[in-house]
Amino acid sequence: MNDTTRQREALRTAFLDGMSRAASSVTVVTTDGPAGRAGVTVSAMTSVSADGEEPTMLTCLNAASSVLPLVLENGCFCINVLQSDQTAISDIFSSRSPAPGGDKFAGVEIFSAATGAPCLANALVSFDCALVSADRIGTHHICIGAVKAVHVAPKGEPLLYGMRRYLRAVAQ
C-alpha cells in the first residue's frame, strides 16, 4: 500500500467515525408504481427549499440498493420520519431484522398520497415527493423530490441515530 492509498484510507476512516457522531432522524424511504413497491431505512435526508412552486427535499440512496432502480422508474418516493418507538420498523426496512413473510410492509399500516408512494400511517411525518432529479455522487444517488403532500402526526418524537445506535431525544 502506497502513501496516497494510506492517506485516503485514513481520511475515509476518520470521515466514517466523524459522521457516526452526527445524529440524524431515522427515515424509511418508500416507493410504489409500475416498477413495484419497496422501502429502505436511510438517515440521509434534508429539506432543500420551502420556496418555489413546491417545497423540495433530498434523500441519498445507495447505488447498490435494490430500492434505487424502483424509485428512478416509479418517479416518486415518500420520506417517512420514524417515531421514537419505531425501531422495529427501522430494523425491518434496513434488513437488520427479517421481514415478516419476506414482506417489509407486512404489519405496517400504509396509505397512498398524491404520488402513490406508500406513506407509513404512524410515521411522525411523511413527505410524499415526485422525483425531480437523481445524480450519482460516489456510491450514492442524490434524489431530489418536489413535495406533493405532507402528513404530520398529531404528537410524537423523532427516532434518532448516532454513535452507531438509536438515540432518544432528552426532554428539556
Side-chain angles (χ1 to χ4, degrees), residues 28 30 57 77-82 111 113 117-129 147-153:
V28 172
T30 57
M57 296 195 67
F77 59 89
C78 185
I79 299 171
N80 299 278
V81 179
L82 297 184
F111 65 93
C119 297
L120 304 184
N122 296 315
L124 184 62
V125 61
S126 297
F127 299 96
D128 185 34
C129 302
V147 177
K148 300 296 184 180
V150 179
H151 300 276
V152 179

Side-chain angles (χ1 to χ4, degrees), residues 55-108:
T56 50
M57 296 195 67
L58 73 76
T59 187
C60 296
L61 298 175
N62 192 306
S65 168
S66 61
V67 176
L68 177 64
L70 281 70
V71 167
L72 297 176
E73 187 174 333
N74 290 336
C76 65
F77 59 89
C78 185
I79 299 171
N80 299 278
V81 179
L82 297 184
Q83 296 205 41
S84 60
D85 63 352
Q86 294 180 312
T87 58
I89 293 171
S90 172
D91 288 345
I92 288 170
F93 279 90
S94 69
S95 299
R96 281 185 180 179
S97 297
D103 180 4
K104 291 181 177 183
F105 291 91
V108 178

Side-chain angles (χ1 to χ4, degrees), residues 21-35:
R21 297 164 195 269
S24 61
S25 58
V26 178
T27 62
V28 172
V29 173
T30 57
T31 189
D32 200 358

